[in-house]
DNA sequence: GATGAATGAGAGTTCATTCAT
DNA sequence: TATGAATGAACTCTCATTCAT
């Protein structure tokens, strides 16, 4: 949590610190990011950073929380616009496509997502992932519950397993395109956006096969 | 790639360096691991490390390759002993349980897996992941192909999507138990081994639902 | 010397600053004590401290003067109650015992005494020691003069040497118990209060031997 | 304890580090002394200091040990030349005078003695004082024991109390001349060397009165 | 009179790498 | 081929003090 000083700061100064810090952490992650660089780029004294945040972890947590919130804020309208009621897995596929496109056009959010997911320092990682996961869950869980209640998922669908998978797959789908070697099979790590989208769709298809109600046979 | 000097080294010296380096990287990851410490623990001069490996990345790649190979070597007999032909998803579940148990009893291999999967330096990450993924694939791909050919999977099963998922899920299942906060839903990050196993089984159940042939209707 | 602003301050505010500063300097000494911490604990703005005192040294001098005065104020009733007239060295021993006990039960006064006696900054040290010594002297000198006049000390006793010794020994006796290694011989630095007292008494015995009148021979 | 690297160092380099460090610590004490300054003045890289000593404490301990040893080495010939057998307290007085003169002409040794005696960091203080005290004791204890055995001290003299006093008084006598305000009574802190000597002699006279055998009455 | 944000030098320590021996 | 001393930039974090409001 930032200090009270931070809250009282002129907006311009806050913005300078935030953008310098985001850039730095996005590029080098938490452990690799340098407060020296952040201060220099933000045009503030090194000591000032410590007037605003208790320590490096505090600053990083603040930023990753911000990024999570921003990503969520950007995605929620998209989600709201999709036809979950009438075509759940169609909507889900659309969401996935939007998700891939989002990170392609939001390098900063992508970089923060990468940093959060790859943070090597255990306690920093635990802290930031927990926060990120809470965001994912509070968006996704109601979606799945409603879907199940409305019959868009199998009656015996294991919603928790579904959520748990999404907690792994969504960051993966976000990160893989920028990390060659991560997905050598489907092409999620291909530089070509269409390949990425195609790959993501094939993953969604698996989820559909697993959770969609069986078609009613006539026989 | 190690230097030619390394290859010519007395086996005892190589072993000393390897075990010191594995211990260090396992504990602190790549970026956090210290060559000073490795040299000291191995009982060799700091300069010698640079006679054996071109730089820190080189040493680390070598070690993670070794770890991947060792893990694969340890798992292959297990895989070979399972009844893939008669009960594919049963065997798959057994494999998953063995996988969880393996990392529980092999802290070094776990730590290397964590380090490989969370490496924040992009180029180091790309290099080590690529290698690890090749190991996964060369073991898993034949398994899935055979299963499909023998009817253990649906005729229209997207094997590549299956593989791609496993490339994400297997490391996740290995790493999550030691990384609190990674899986807040199923309990894969619970300290209790039974919880971990139960959670892993639920993930397998999803794969089964997605890829198992539909039961033949009687009509 | 505090500023005139300080004198005009509401008593409550003064008290807050004093107690925060005493605690801080007692714990970390002068050089190690932090004005940041003092201001925070006192609930006043950092800048305010500089409205009250010219600088850190000024604040510290003020506090050590206060501590000296308080210690003196606490000891004077004890001194007044002792039978100096009838048994000078007995009284002196009692005083020493009380002195040891006093610091054992007054951690703040002890810490300030330690800080004053070990201040590494020469000018700060000179200032605070001078003040402390004046307190010691104005209490002790009359005591010794009276004793000499009344025959409790040898007629040729070098009172100034006596005083000078006390100026060294009293702080030493106060400080040694909390500073392991200071007195490896008599046990003044032992954690056991009884050991400390016994050691202090042996030091007093030396003074007695040096200054007590020789017993009258019978001839 | 210095590292083994330190022992193997060219003598010139060692000398450079030692003299820079002695100067710095002598001037500012342990807590106040700066490794930056030491490295700069010694003309070595900051990192090199940590190849030679494990940390700041290690370096400081090494230097204060050296200073203690040097002071002892300088005083021992003086001590050996004095007529302890025939005139113990005369010799003792001579020693004291020599002691005062020594520090007057050895500013570095004086400064280190001051630093050791006023070190505000408790653990550093404990460590270095312990060492210094051992030096004092191994020189003084045999002297007093012999004196007592030979009848130069009273038969009931409390040798341990004597030693304990010396452990306080000798550093005091060394330090006081350079620390105005320390001895406002006898003049040990006077700038005039003769005053200092006279003051020291009066302190010795107290010890003589306390420990010298009573003159044999004829009657 | 009170505030508290800003400063920037400085702290001790670690690091991967070089290179003369 | 092995050594290990040397490097100096980089790290996070703290500090007493100033001064505009």
């Amino acid at each position: 949590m930032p200090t009270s000083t931070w809250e009282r700061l002129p907006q311009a100064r806050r913005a300078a610190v935030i953008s310098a810090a985001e850039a730095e952490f996005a590029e080098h992650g938490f452990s690799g990011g340098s407060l020296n660089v952040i201060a220099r780029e933000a045009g503030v004294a090194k000591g000032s950073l410590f007037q605003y945040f208790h320590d490096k972890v505090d600053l990083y947590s603040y930023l990753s929380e911000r990024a999570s919130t921003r990503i969520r804020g950007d995605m929620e309208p998209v989600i709201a616009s999709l036809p979950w009621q009438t075509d759940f897995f169609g909507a889900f596929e659309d969401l996935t496509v939007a998700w891939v496109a989002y990170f392609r056009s939001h390098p900063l959010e992508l970089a923060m997502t990468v940093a959060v997911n790859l943070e090597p320092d255990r306690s920093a990682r635990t802290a930031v992932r927990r926060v990120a996961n809470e965001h994912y869950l509070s968006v996704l869980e109601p979606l799945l519950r409603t879907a199940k209640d409305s019959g868009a998922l199998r009656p015996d669908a294991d919603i928790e397993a579904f959520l748990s998978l999404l907690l792994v797959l969504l960051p993966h789908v976000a990160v893989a395109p920028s990390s060659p070697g991560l997905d050598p099979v489907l092409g999620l790590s291909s530089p070509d956006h269409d390949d990425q989208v195609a790959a993501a769709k094939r993953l969604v298809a698996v989820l559909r096969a697993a959770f969609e109600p069986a078609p009613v046979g006539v026989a």
Side-chain angles (χ1 to χ4, degrees), chain A:
Chain A
M1 242 179 23
T3 64
S4 55
T5 303
W6 173 254
E7 316 288 356
R8 287 187 228 106
L9 230 47
Q11 211 260 338
R13 198 175 176 87
R14 275 214 300 269
V17 170
I18 286 177
S19 95
E22 273 180 340
E24 175 69 5
F25 284 132
E27 187 163 348
H28 299 107
F30 166 68
S31 303
S34 158
L35 298 183
N36 277 359
V37 172
I38 292 173
R40 189 194 324 130
E41 296 296 311
V44 307
K46 227 189 314 188
S48 295
L49 291 183
F50 293 88
Q51 301 248 46
Y52 307 151
F53 300 92
H54 298 95
D55 52 20
K56 196 188 180 185
V57 175
D58 192 26
L59 169 55
Y60 183 61
S61 308
Y62 174 78
L63 290 172
S64 62
E65 160 78 60
R66 255 180 62 94
S68 291
T69 305
R70 197 167 56 238
I71 294 170
R72 178 180 173 175
D74 289 341
M75 295 307 299
E76 275 182 330
V78 175
I79 291 172
S81 74
L82 293 174
W84 300 98
Q85 324 283 359
T86 56
D87 177 13
F88 181 81
F89 281 97
F92 198 86
E93 199 183 74
D94 291 351
L95 170 56
T96 307
V97 172
W99 184 249
V100 172
Y102 179 78
F103 286 105
R104 169 161 276 255
S105 60
H106 290 74
L108 193 72
E109 283 70 19
L110 167 59
M112 288 299 292
T113 301
V114 172
V116 164
N117 278 275
L118 301 182
E119 174 48 44
D121 180 273
R122 171 147 42 201
S123 70
R125 182 173 70 237
T126 298
V128 293
R129 283 256 202 148
R130 217 187 285 275
V131 169
N133 280 343
E134 272 164 27
H135 280 288
Y136 281 112
L137 287 180
S138 56
V139 170
L140 296 171
E141 196 172 10
L143 227 48
L144 296 195
R145 292 218 178 280
T146 307
K148 185 167 180 182
D149 292 346
S150 70
L153 303 184
R154 291 192 196 167
D156 63 341
D158 183 346
I159 289 205
E160 292 181 335
F162 199 159
L163 283 169
S164 182
L165 271 175
L166 291 179
L167 253 28
V168 184
L169 290 179
L170 286 175
H172 175 69
V173 166
V175 167
S178 68
S179 215
L182 262 201
D183 176 12
V185 181
L186 288 183
L188 208 47
S189 304
S190 151
D192 181 336
H193 182 54
D194 292 340
D195 290 350
Q196 299 164 13
V197 167
K201 286 185 176 176
R202 286 169 76 181
L203 291 178
V204 170
V206 173
L207 294 175
R208 179 195 291 259
F211 293 104
E212 200 174 38
V216 189
V218 204

